[in-house]
């Protein structure tokens, strides 16, 4: 087994024991269960919002907390003296977090369709592209938090504090139609707002705006590039 594979096996076990993983899985399901019964048959607004909540929690809470904690404990520094480089650990962590986000989202889609009569995703390929770009954008912000936070606890706090305003502006706490016009307009360009809209459009069969996909890709490239440049290994 390769170094990447061996490390992935160990890290996957640690991820499954992480209380944050349970939290990130249960909260979106709870939202869906509480409000799903009141949704109209075929409606996908709530499922799209729940999926955005899940990705936001993984990207802004789990990613930065885990990586900053590893740096704080000297794990990244110690790995630099072994055949398994710190870059390999980062790659394993991001891969596992992405897989976790995919599984959480797939579960939300299945529950939405089976239990709450939501429509089956109308444009699955476009939805997959939107999901990948949106998740990359959110993960990039998580990486930036991990790169700048002095400790795992600080990364946790920063991620949570950043999550709530982004969730509010992105229309995850109330419909954007009920928000002040200025805030709703700002929220349309935030990573979570873009993600929610892109997933909703693809899921419902509406035309996906190329600009939304392009902006999410720009978030991923620009913010991720800055995070990679300033990331401290110890």
């Amino acid at each position: 087994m390769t170094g990447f594979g061996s490390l992935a096996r160990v890290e996957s076990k640690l991820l499954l024991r992480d209380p944050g993983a349970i939290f990130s899985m249960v909260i979106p399901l709870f939202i869906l269960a509480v409000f799903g019964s009141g949704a109209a048959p075929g409606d996908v607004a709530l499922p799209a919002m729940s999926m955005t909540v899940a990705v936001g929690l993984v990207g802004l809470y789990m990613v930065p907390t885990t990586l900053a904690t590893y740096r704080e404990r000297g794990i990244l520094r110690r790995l630099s003296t072994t055949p398994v480089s710190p870059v390999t650990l980062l790659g394993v962590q991001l891969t596992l977090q992405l897989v976790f986000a995919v599984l959480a989202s797939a579960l939300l889609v299945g529950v939405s369709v089976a239990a709450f009569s939501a429509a089956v995703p109308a444009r699955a390929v476009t939805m997959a592209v939107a999901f990948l770009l949106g998740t990359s954008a959110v993960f990039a912000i998580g990486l930036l938090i991990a790169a700048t936070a002095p400790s795992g606890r600080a990364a946790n706090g920063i991620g949570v504090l950043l999550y709530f305003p982004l969730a509010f502006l992105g229309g995850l706490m109330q419909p954007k139609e009920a928000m002040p016009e200025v805030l709703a307009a700002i929220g349309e360009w935030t990573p979570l707002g873009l993600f929610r809209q892109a997933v909703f459009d693809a899921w419902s069969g509406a035309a996906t705006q190329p600009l939304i996909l392009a902006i999410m890709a720009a978030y991923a490239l620009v913010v991720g590039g800055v995070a990679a440049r300033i990331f401290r290994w110890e």
Side-chain angles (χ1 to χ4, degrees):
M1 183 177 290
T2 65
F4 187 95
S6 299
L7 192 58
R9 184 177 179 179
V10 173
E11 289 295 317
S12 62
K13 293 179 181 179
L14 294 175
L15 176 62
L16 293 175
R17 298 171 186 168
D18 185 354
I22 299 175
F23 178 80
S24 299
M25 181 75 75
V26 169
I27 291 299
L29 282 173
F30 176 77
I31 294 173
L32 187 62
V34 170
F35 298 103
S37 58
D43 185 21
V44 299
L46 179 62
M49 183 269 288
S50 299
M51 186 185 296
T52 309
V53 169
V55 171
L57 289 173
V58 174
L60 298 177
Y61 170 66
M62 292 179 62
V63 168
T65 300
T66 301
L67 296 181
T69 298
Y70 279 9
R71 185 183 62 238
E72 179 186 8
R73 294 178 178 175
I75 295 175
L76 298 181
R77 182 181 67 253
R78 290 196 294 270
L79 279 176
S80 64
T81 64
T82 71
V84 181
S85 70
V87 175
T88 301
L89 177 59
L90 290 180
V92 167
Q93 270 296 324
L94 291 177
T95 300
L96 290 178
Q97 301 285 9
L98 176 60
V99 170
F100 183 83
V102 169
L103 293 177
S105 298
L107 178 61
L108 288 167
V109 171
V111 172
S112 299
V113 173
F116 300 108
S117 302
V120 174
R123 302 168 63 199
V125 174
T126 304
M127 185 170 169
V129 172
F131 177 87
L132 182 59
L133 291 176
T135 302
S136 298
V138 177
F139 276 28
I141 297 175
L143 281 174
L144 183 59
I145 296 172
T148 56
S151 65
R153 180 174 295 181
N156 187 344
I158 295 170
V160 171
L161 288 175
L162 186 60
Y163 174 81
F164 284 105
L166 287 178
F168 174 76
L169 291 172
L172 306 186
M173 295 183 176
Q174 63 176 338
K176 65 177 185 178
E177 293 78 13
M179 296 170 59
E181 186 174 343
V182 174
L183 294 180
I186 294 173
E188 291 179 355
W189 305 105
T190 62
L192 294 183
L194 292 164
F195 184 95
R196 180 193 57 78
Q197 187 63 52
V199 169
F200 173 79
D201 289 343
W203 197 335
S204 63
T208 301
Q209 302 176 46
L211 181 60
I212 289 180
L213 301 180
I215 295 175
M216 290 193 298
Y219 269 120
L221 292 173
V222 175
V223 179
V226 172
R229 185 176 182 84
I230 66 175
F231 193 90
R232 295 178 292 109
W233 297 105
E234 54 182 285

